[in-house]
Amino acid sequence: MKCHVLTLFPEMMEQALKASILGKAQDKQLINLNFINIRDFSNNKYLKVDDYPYGGGAGMLMQAEPVYNAFKSINTEGSIKPRVVYLTPQGRTFNQHIAQEFAKEEELVLLCGHYEGIDERVLELIVTDYISIGDYVLTGGELAAMVVIDAISRLVPGVLHNDDSAEFESFTDGLLEYPHYTRPVEFMGKTVPDILLSGHHANIDKWRREKSIERTVERRPDLIEKADLSEKERKELNYDTIEF
Ligand code: ADE
């Protein structure tokens, strides 16, 4: 997976993304991050890339030309036209389903805005997807782009040690994950559920499934309707007590 990132703050992103699992994934060339500094494409000697909005109003806007030229400088491998994702609170809300969709792409371009946003004309010319990471406003798209990069990288085969862990986790079947325990068996008077020590794998799977459903009902009842439940599991749900 190759990801080109158009940003005014490449150092901040590079630094954060080279730690831990994503750092190792880059070392192993499982993911390849290419940061392009939009300021390098400024058309004036002060390296300015922003200006006042026509029509007045608060704040500054990123100009179309440096963003366009930064985009045009990207060398995509072969003849594919990658999706160009603009991080903005005005986009579709990012979720695991979109992460899976993006993880299938060979190449992706992420565009990070700053100030009050970017001149609409360049967005119309290059953007294919508008993505938000939630209903709140950040100072720029960089943190949002890092969230997207993290979520999709861990779905790239080989990035996580255990391929199962990306598959059997929260959201994959529309449910939250069951609770986890590790050593010691007792901590502050709380013990690990006996069933997990039993070695009986079928019973453990059954217990985990029940806990997943229970937890989703409790913490994210809004997910239950679309979750991948069997007919029997649905019948056993007590819809009267679920707070949708
Ligand atoms: N840029 C500013 N706020 C954002 C958000 N919530 N999601 C994505 N990009 C953003």
Side-chain angles (χ1 to χ4, degrees), residues 165-177:
S165 38
E167 210 174 309
F168 297 107
E169 66 188 358
S170 293
F171 300 120
T172 305
D173 48 11
L175 294 169
L176 301 185
E177 233 182 331

Side-chain angles (χ1 to χ4, degrees), residues 23-38:
K24 287 202 192 87
Q26 287 177 80
D27 294 343
K28 288 197 231 158
Q29 311 223 332
L30 295 169
I31 54 172
N32 181 342
L33 302 178
N34 172 33
F35 295 97
I36 299 129
N37 191 339
I38 296 170

Side-chain angles (χ1 to χ4, degrees), residues 85-97:
V85 180
Y86 176 44
L87 286 312
T88 165
Q90 297 184 7
R92 269 195 295 161
T93 309
F94 191 61
N95 58 26
Q96 194 64 19
H97 181 74

Side-chain angles (χ1 to χ4, degrees), residues 87-89 131-141 144:
L87 286 312
T88 165
I131 294 290
S132 164
I133 61 158
D135 289 341
Y136 41 81
V137 183
L138 303 166
T139 55

Side-chain angles (χ1 to χ4, degrees), residues 52-63:
Y52 295 98
Y54 279 119
M60 304 288 270
L61 285 178
M62 281 168 72
Q63 293 172 290

